[in-house]
């Protein structure tokens, strides 16, 4: 796998500033697998994203990264608070 040229690498604060300067107020910045879930064939992801110019972090229980992003998307569009998003996406009973 190739690596990015050093001119494209930025620390997170610089990246956020560039996104905001370009008018992009919502973007997923990072997603990582934290661990496996008690739910069969599910993983727990940590997602760091920019929403309405604010940096937010949430955990998402999902089958794969595509499922994780599809579960996050409706909440970003709804304007729900961070606490509601965290509760719903990290709750094994709501899957």
């Amino acid at each position: 796998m190739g690596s990015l040229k050093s001119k494209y690498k930025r620390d997170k604060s610089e990246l956020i500033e560039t996104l905001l300067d370009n008018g992009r107020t919502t973007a997923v910045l990072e997603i990582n697998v934290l661990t496996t879930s008690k739910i069969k064939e599910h993983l727990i992801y940590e997602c760091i994203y920019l929403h309405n110019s604010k940096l937010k972090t949430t955990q998402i229980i999902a089958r794969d990264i595509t499922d994780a992003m599809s579960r996050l998307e409706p909440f970003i569009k709804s304007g729900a608070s961070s606490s509601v998003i965290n509760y719903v996406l990290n709750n094994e009973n709501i899957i």
Side-chain angles (χ1 to χ4, degrees):
M1 182 175 183
S3 63
L4 285 174
K5 292 182 179 180
S6 61
K7 70 178 183 177
Y8 294 114
K9 294 182 182 177
R10 299 180 174 136
D11 65 9
K12 199 172 288 181
S13 61
E14 186 179 359
L15 174 61
I16 291 168
E17 184 178 325
T18 302
L19 288 168
L20 295 175
D21 288 346
N22 291 330
R24 184 139 192 188
T25 60
T26 302
V28 173
L29 304 176
E30 187 177 329
I31 187 161
N32 296 304
V33 176
L34 294 179
T35 188
T36 57
S37 172
K38 291 186 272 184
I39 299 173
K40 185 178 180 180
E41 298 180 5
H42 282 70
L43 301 169
I44 300 175
Y45 293 88
E46 179 178 63
C47 181
I48 300 171
Y49 62 101
L50 187 66
H51 182 243
N52 290 333
S53 305
K54 295 179 183 173
L55 190 62
K56 298 183 178 188
T57 301
T58 191
Q59 286 77 42
I60 305 169
I61 299 173
R63 290 183 306 275
D64 54 35
I65 193 163
T66 304
D67 185 35
M69 292 296 92
S70 67
R71 290 177 50 78
L72 178 62
E73 184 179 17
F75 293 100
I76 289 177
K77 291 180 180 179
S78 73
S81 70
S82 294
S83 58
V84 169
I85 293 171
N86 285 331
Y87 177 76
V88 172
L89 294 179
N90 199 26
N91 191 321
E92 295 173 345
N93 296 321
I94 299 180
I95 297 203

